[in-house]
Amino acid sequence: MLRLTLFLTILAGTATAQTSLPPGLSPYMQGVIREATDFMNISRYDSAQVAISEAFQQSEFPLHAHDLYYLHCYEAEIMYYNALFEQGINSSMRGLEIAQQLNDSLLEGSAENLTGLFLMSLQRYREAIPHFKRSAQLLPDLHGNEFLSFRYHALANHGESLVKLNQPDSAMQLSKESIRLAQLAGRIRGEALGYWNIAEAWLLLNQPDSAEAISARALKIVDPSQHRDAVQVVCATLMKTARVRNQLSDAVMWMERGLLEMDNPLNTNLTRMQFLEECISVMLHIGQTERSLGLIRQLDELRRTVNAS
């Protein structure tokens, strides 16, 4: 099962359309958040981390509670996309604590979603679910702060956790509602990855034809967009679906299609690593030993790069 939650974090690919910064920030932090957001929108997470780290370390400008909330959550976001889950959960928990102190339900709901995201990525699925439930209770269907999670994020994350726990029927119900709300918000990424979630549930039910159909729908939605990590996610499911149907040439074809996204600067290291893991598993299953060894070397090199950054 692909360990991905690629549409459910603070920015969630939406900040490119920003016309205003989050409310409550000091003038100094407005500049920091603008700079970090610009870097994150083009997947330059190391540069964004530098901007965030410098803000934490400076002493010239006092940092207010709202400033610290966004700093911690941005830091968590960066660590998430670099697959640094053990480190990132500490930042997300700190953001949650600040939101609770501020008694701000919108900030708290977004931080609950982010904390659940890290727990799910650490395969602590049962621990993650209460955070997603609280997030869905706190977040409205729509709101005006594009820098925070929406309710459809929390619902889809909850659904993905249920896929991991082998509860496909419940996962589908939550994912369908997340799709409806993503469509209401005009978010093609959320819509497409909601369909991806349902496709993964169909695979659990050993219904590869349904999984293929819904994955194709997801790919049609997201392929023309800038969300290349989401494209790679869907290609992985189509690859697995072909393998289940014993269509080995199609499995290789979808692997090759997904590998085209490896060098795209709009992709993320997290997606790249998890896609390679899926490729290795499928190639070993169909007897492509030499190809799997090459993929293992590629994955090891990418992990070293991430760990050294």
Side-chain angles (χ1 to χ4, degrees):
M1 182 60 62
L2 198 60
R3 299 193 302 276
L4 283 173
T5 49
L6 290 171
F7 51 116
L8 309 173
T9 47
I10 291 224
L11 295 179
T14 63
T16 51
Q18 286 301 316
T19 57
S20 61
L21 291 168
L25 293 179
S26 66
Y28 168 74
M29 273 304 299
Q30 290 177 12
V32 173
I33 293 301
R34 184 178 291 109
E35 181 182 16
T37 299
D38 288 344
F39 283 132
M40 293 175 77
N41 281 334
I42 56 174
S43 298
R44 290 181 57 186
Y45 296 104
D46 292 344
S47 298
Q49 180 63 65
V50 170
I52 297 300
S53 297
E54 289 177 350
F56 272 123
Q57 295 166 8
Q58 65 83 32
S59 58
E60 183 178 358
F61 301 98
L63 297 177
H64 307 304
H66 281 85
D67 296 339
L68 290 170
Y69 173 86
Y70 283 99
L71 281 177
H72 283 293
C73 290
Y74 265 50
E75 184 173 60
E77 172 106 0
I78 293 164
M79 290 179 179
Y80 171 75
Y81 279 121
N82 280 321
L84 301 173
F85 305 130
E86 293 285 358
Q87 300 93 317
I89 195 171
N90 295 322
S91 296
S92 71
M93 289 293 293
R94 182 60 184 134
L96 178 56
E97 291 171 0
I98 294 170
Q100 291 169 340
Q101 292 166 7
L102 289 168
N103 196 27
D104 188 315
S105 61
L106 193 57
L107 297 184
E108 186 177 349
S110 190
E112 287 281 15
N113 179 59
L114 185 57
T115 300
L117 183 66
F118 277 100
L119 289 168
M120 183 165 63
S121 298
L122 291 166
Q123 301 182 33
R124 294 159 60 180
Y125 307 122
R126 296 190 188 279
E127 293 178 63
I129 286 174
H131 290 279
F132 296 138
K133 286 182 176 179
R134 286 195 292 272
S135 178
Q137 291 169 353
L138 290 165
L139 292 171
D141 293 347
L142 296 173
H143 59 75
N145 189 340
E146 300 284 351
F147 286 80
L148 301 178
S149 301
F150 286 74
R151 187 165 179 262
Y152 76 84
H153 292 130
L155 292 172
N157 266 341
H158 186 182
E160 188 181 346
S161 294
L162 293 177
V163 170
K164 304 299 193 296
L165 293 170
N166 198 23
Q167 299 178 37
D169 292 329
S170 297
M172 284 189 187
Q173 291 180 354
L174 285 167
S175 298
K176 288 176 182 177
E177 178 63 6
S178 78
I179 290 168
R180 184 185 73 81
L181 294 178
Q183 291 172 335
L184 182 66
R187 304 301 164 82
I188 61 170
R189 179 190 182 89
E191 181 184 359
L193 288 175
Y195 287 126
W196 164 77
N197 218 21
I198 293 173
E200 289 284 322
W202 279 122
L203 279 179
L204 283 180
L205 292 168
N206 196 29
Q207 296 290 330
D209 290 348
S210 296
E212 182 184 46
I214 206 76
S215 296
R217 185 173 184 178
L219 187 61
K220 183 178 180 180
I221 292 170
V222 80
D223 197 19
S225 76
Q226 76 271 29
H227 303 301
R228 308 322 298 172
D229 52 351
V231 171
Q232 198 170 51
V233 169
V234 177
C235 286
T237 298
L238 285 163
M239 174 181 65
K240 292 189 296 181
T241 299
R243 192 267 298 169
V244 170
R245 299 174 71 181
N246 204 34
Q247 296 173 340
L248 305 188
S249 61
D250 284 351
V252 173
M253 182 270 291
W254 283 116
M255 179 188 71
E256 297 289 357
R257 174 64 184 84
L259 288 172
L260 293 176
E261 305 297 337
M262 290 297 291
D263 294 329
N264 194 304
L266 296 179
N267 204 348
T268 70
N269 286 330
L270 172 62
T271 313
R272 294 181 182 105
M273 286 188 286
Q274 293 180 335
F275 181 75
L276 288 173
E277 289 172 356
E278 290 291 354
C279 290
I280 291 164
S281 176
V282 170
M283 290 303 104
L284 286 173
H285 184 88
I286 67 177
Q288 296 275 352
T289 306
E290 288 299 320
R291 189 63 190 273
S292 65
L293 289 173
L295 292 165
I296 290 170
R297 288 191 290 269
Q298 189 176 354
L299 176 59
D300 287 342
E301 182 179 351
L302 180 56
R303 283 174 174 163
R304 286 193 296 271
T305 300
V306 170
N307 291 332
S309 62

